[in-house]
């Protein structure tokens, strides 16, 4: 299969996702929820919209032109062990493997089986030649050439053990942070709502901690996020976490702010519980850099208003990565490219 055929097939998949009727969209959300109780109509729709943007023809062609990709398909087998924390989170890895011309051996997460399987099935329906390039594994993989595995820090100990002999990308737990300058308006701070609440805080690009100047008044931030917090808490799983964490802080007399759907408390740790946002003060730029450097291997994304801080993304953009944004800053396409030489 030619590279252009592969591109055309993914573009057609993107077009299919754009034109899904209401019945099909509802079915996707319902079946995805059977796999994972955190998946609902909003999160599934957001994930599919993100995939659609990746599969625009001009986006795909510009992206692949940055790499040495064979025009023909390869005989290399790439095992991808997928996570299941947010809907179709493994799609980008599948796209990288297949657009590069390799054979995908996909080990789907039990938490996200249906959605990933139907996306791959639709791709094969569009371009039947992909049938020979895609294997969904029920048994251990055979004849592996490279491995891409995403999981928890706990599961990754096993990944490191079993896959150490193969060229590999093994991704660990990560989270994301926001940096407040101190002069942002309520309207600007409200843009953080997607970064914090989308996917209920379960993704590595969800903001779990905020850094703010000394003496910053967090009541402005909590007020800006209140409307979204009260919409999010309608989800019973999120509400259960909120009620539990609130009771713990009250019993233990931990100082915190509460806007009815989100709890804010000071903590030097990076990863906060679901429904909780940590904060930490910084005195100046040097102090901020030092505080964040402690967690540099665990931070996925840093957001700041209008990217005033170097190396950041804008408020509200953490959950909408482009096709050339790679988890853990490891270029998946570059990892796949050398075996084509």
């Amino acid at each position: 299969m030619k590279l252009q055929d592969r591109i055309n097939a993914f573009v057609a998949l993107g077009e299919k996702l754009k034109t899904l009727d209401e019945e099909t969209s509802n079915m996707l959300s319902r079946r995805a929820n059977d796999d994972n109780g955190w998946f609902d109509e909003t999160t599934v729709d957001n994930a599919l919209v993100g995939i659609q943007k990746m599969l625009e023809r001009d986006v795909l062609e510009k992206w692949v032109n940055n790499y040495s990709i064979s025009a023909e398909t390869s005989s290399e087998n790439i095992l991808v062990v997928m996570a299941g924390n947010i809907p179709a989170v493994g799609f980008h890895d599948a796209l990288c493997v297949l657009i590069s011309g390799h054979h995908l051996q996909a080990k789907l997460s039990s938490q996200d089986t249906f959605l990933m399987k139907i996306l791959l099935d639709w791709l094969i329906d569009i371009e039947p030649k992909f049938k020979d390039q895609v294997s969904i594994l029920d048994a251990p993989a055979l004849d592996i050439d490279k491995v891409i595995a995403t999981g928890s820090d706990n599961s990754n100990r096993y990944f490191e053990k079993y896959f150490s002999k193969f060229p590999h990308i093994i991704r660990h737990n990560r989270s994301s942070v926001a940096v407040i300058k101190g002069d942002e308006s309520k309207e600007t701070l409200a843009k953080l709502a997607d970064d914090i609440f989308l996917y209920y805080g379960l993704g590595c690009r969800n903001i779990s901690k905020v850094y703010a100047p000394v003496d910053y008044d967090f009541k402005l931030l909590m007020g800006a996020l209140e409307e979204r917090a009260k919409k999010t808490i309608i989800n019973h799983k999120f509400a259960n976490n909120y009620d539990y964490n609130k009771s713990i802080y009250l019993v233990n007399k931990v100082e915190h702010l509460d806007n009815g759907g989100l709890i804010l408390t000071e903590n030097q740790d990076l990863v906060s519980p679901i429904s909780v946002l940590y904060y930490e003060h910084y005195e100046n730029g040097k102090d901020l850099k030092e505080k964040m450097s402690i967690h540099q291997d665990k931070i996925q994304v840093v957001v700041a208003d209008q990217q005033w801080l170097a190396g950041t993304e804008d408020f509200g953009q953490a959950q909408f990565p482009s096709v050339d944004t790679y988890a853990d800053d490891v270029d998946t396409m570059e990892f796949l490219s050398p075996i084509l030489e």
Side-chain angles (χ1 to χ4, degrees):
M1 184 172 22
K2 303 290 187 183
L3 173 59
Q4 194 58 54
D5 294 333
R6 304 195 296 269
I7 292 173
N8 291 343
F10 276 106
V11 170
L13 177 61
E15 291 299 320
K16 179 179 180 68
L17 294 177
K18 289 179 184 178
T19 57
L20 294 178
D21 56 42
E22 184 176 358
E23 181 180 357
T24 303
S25 295
N26 290 339
M27 179 273 293
L28 292 178
S29 299
R30 186 177 66 254
R31 294 289 301 277
N33 186 259
D34 291 340
D35 283 342
N36 191 325
W38 286 103
F39 295 178
D40 56 20
E41 182 178 354
T42 299
T43 56
V44 171
D45 286 349
N46 272 288
L48 295 182
V49 167
I51 291 173
Q52 292 168 32
K53 292 179 180 179
M54 291 182 185
L55 301 185
E56 296 283 351
R57 182 176 296 279
D58 58 338
V59 171
L60 276 181
E61 291 182 343
K62 181 179 179 180
W63 175 52
V64 300
N65 284 338
N66 292 322
Y67 302 94
S68 299
I69 298 177
S70 173
E72 305 293 339
T73 51
S74 160
S75 60
E76 302 286 352
N77 292 310
I78 313 298
L79 170 63
V80 179
V81 182
M82 299 183 181
N85 53 320
I86 65 176
V89 69
F91 182 83
H92 188 264
D93 283 336
L95 169 63
C96 289
V97 171
L98 294 174
I99 208 76
S100 298
H102 305 305
H103 179 255
L104 170 67
Q105 294 195 29
K107 182 66 177 72
L108 305 184
S109 168
S110 61
Q111 297 293 301
D112 188 23
T113 299
F114 173 76
L115 203 55
M116 276 305 308
K117 187 174 186 305
I118 199 167
L119 288 171
L120 292 171
D121 284 346
W122 283 346
L123 180 66
I124 292 169
D125 287 343
I126 291 166
E127 176 49 83
K129 291 178 183 177
F130 270 124
K131 186 174 183 180
D132 295 330
Q133 297 299 116
V134 176
S135 298
I136 296 177
L137 303 178
D138 294 319
L142 299 174
D143 301 322
I144 303 171
D145 293 294
K146 287 192 172 184
V147 178
I148 302 171
T150 306
S152 67
D153 287 346
N154 195 38
S155 62
N156 282 344
R157 287 199 293 268
Y158 296 97
F159 292 162
E160 294 283 0
K161 176 181 178 181
Y162 292 121
F163 301 136
S164 60
K165 64 181 179 180
F166 303 103
H168 59 262
I169 295 175
I170 295 180
R171 306 191 186 105
H172 299 256
N173 284 350
R174 288 204 175 203
S175 193
S176 299
V177 302
V179 179
I180 292 176
K181 191 176 182 181
D183 58 358
E184 295 89 349
S185 67
K186 182 177 180 179
E187 291 72 25
T188 296
L189 292 170
K191 295 178 182 178
L192 281 169
D194 274 342
D195 300 335
I196 295 169
F197 293 108
L198 194 55
Y199 307 119
Y200 301 108
L202 293 166
C204 64
R205 298 179 69 87
N206 278 103
I207 303 302
S208 60
K209 183 169 187 173
V210 174
Y211 292 93
V214 174
D215 297 328
Y216 178 76
D217 184 1
F218 278 99
K219 291 180 181 178
L220 179 61
L221 173 64
M222 292 297 276
L225 298 173
E226 182 175 359
E227 181 180 355
R228 182 63 172 273
K230 290 183 176 178
K231 289 180 179 178
T232 305
I233 203 170
I234 293 173
N235 180 286
H236 74 280
K237 292 175 74 69
F238 187 88
N240 288 342
N241 280 269
Y242 167 80
D243 290 339
Y244 172 79
N245 289 311
K246 181 177 180 178
S247 66
I248 292 295
Y249 290 141
L250 288 172
V251 168
N252 293 323
K253 298 181 180 179
V254 176
E255 187 174 344
H256 64 278
L257 293 176
D258 180 359
N259 64 8
L262 180 69
I263 300 165
L264 179 77
T265 189
E266 187 171 11
N267 198 304
Q268 293 185 351
D269 291 342
L270 175 66
V271 182
S272 58
I274 294 170
S275 78
V276 177
L277 182 65
Y278 286 158
Y279 75 84
E280 189 171 351
H281 289 117
Y282 64 89
E283 294 182 0
N284 49 46
K286 181 175 181 292
D287 185 44
L288 173 64
K289 185 177 181 180
E290 289 175 352
K291 289 179 185 296
M292 289 202 298
S293 68
I294 296 171
H295 305 293
Q296 64 180 0
D297 293 333
K298 290 292 186 179
I299 294 177
Q300 188 72 268
V301 182
V302 181
V303 298
D305 180 40
Q306 298 181 6
Q307 303 172 22
W308 67 266
L309 187 66
T312 63
E313 298 183 16
D314 200 7
F315 283 178
Q317 296 305 305
Q319 299 292 2
F320 303 99
S322 59
V323 72
D324 59 354
T325 300
Y326 301 100
D328 297 9
D329 292 325
V330 178
D331 191 324
T332 312
M333 293 291 283
E334 197 65 45
F335 170 73
L336 294 168
S337 295
I339 59 177
L340 295 172
E341 296 176 356

